[in-house]
Amino acid sequence: DPPAPAVLQVGQATVIKGREVTIPVTVTGNPGFAAMNFKIDYDKTRLKLTGFEDAGLTDWEVGINSGEKAAWLDEKNFSEDGPILTLKFTVLDNAEVGMAEIALTVLCAADLEEKDVLFDSVAGGVNVVERFPGDVDDNGIVNIVDALRLKKYLAGFSVEINSFNADVNGDDTADALDL
């Protein structure tokens, strides 16, 4: 029996229109590869691929606004599981709310002996939203710091808040009920 294919997984995020987002690409079940080339397909009505960062592997080449493919090559097999690349997208200002899919199609993957390495790909994407309820400090993350910021604001401290996001209960005001 041939070995089960390794899996390339595209991450997911929830992002407000007009913001930048980084989406990780991870590998699991990695038997080891020394070369990889894949095509990046995504919803161009909602997203724009604007950059990339190495993650786990270094020396990627990614065609930004020019074919939108990624290529990696090394003189030894990479056999670890985990993040291998981070793709940067901008969510378009006029993006429709909802899921913008990001999918990868592996064009070629081979090990150091030049044998094909099989990969399945699992799509991910960006859930485009109008606002991010609870993200009081407007950093794209909802956590306890947002509650602290709102509490400071309500107590009269001079702190910046995103009042649209601070209105968690949707009654058009940021108040103690939103805490």
Side-chain angles (χ1 to χ4, degrees):
D1 283 344
V7 176
L8 275 185
Q9 171 82 48
V10 180
Q12 295 189 8
T14 298
V15 183
I16 298 171
K17 295 178 184 187
R19 299 283 176 93
E20 291 190 347
V21 61
T22 56
I23 300 293
V25 176
T26 58
V27 62
T28 54
N30 185 2
F33 60 93
M36 178 179 284
N37 181 217
F38 57 78
K39 184 172 184 347
I40 305 162
D41 294 302
Y42 62 94
D43 185 341
K44 292 177 177 65
T45 67
R46 298 179 191 182
L47 303 174
K48 179 177 175 55
L49 181 62
T50 56
F52 67 98
E53 293 176 355
D54 293 336
L57 296 179
T58 58
D59 298 325
W60 280 95
E61 288 296 329
V62 178
I64 307 295
N65 297 320
S66 137
E68 293 165 334
K69 295 177 185 170
W72 179 82
L73 178 67
D74 199 22
E75 62 275 355
K76 60 186 183 304
N77 280 337
F78 176 78
S79 303
E80 297 174 30
D81 284 355
I84 59 169
L85 177 66
T86 300
L87 299 173
K88 293 181 177 183
F89 291 90
T90 297
V91 179
L92 302 177
D93 290 330
N94 62 346
E96 187 178 316
V97 169
M99 182 56 74
E101 187 176 83
I102 303 167
L104 306 178
T105 304
V106 177
L107 303 171
C108 178
D111 64 17
L112 202 55
E113 291 73 44
E114 300 177 15
K115 292 188 175 105
D116 288 341
V117 178
L118 297 178
F119 279 91
D120 284 340
S121 179
V122 178
V126 175
N127 183 23
V128 178
V129 295
E130 292 281 352
R131 71 184 195 109
F132 208 176
D135 184 16
V136 177
D137 60 8
D138 211 20
N139 69 352
I141 302 167
V142 176
N143 59 21
I144 193 70
V145 176
D146 294 295
L148 178 61
R149 175 76 58 96
L150 182 55
K151 187 175 181 182
K152 285 179 179 178
Y153 172 80
L154 294 173
F157 286 70
S158 178
V159 293
E160 294 282 321
I161 69 164
N162 177 323
S163 55
F164 193 44
N165 289 341
D167 176 22
V168 177
N169 65 3
D171 65 0
D172 291 329
T173 185
D175 57 24
L177 296 176
D178 299 301
L179 269 177

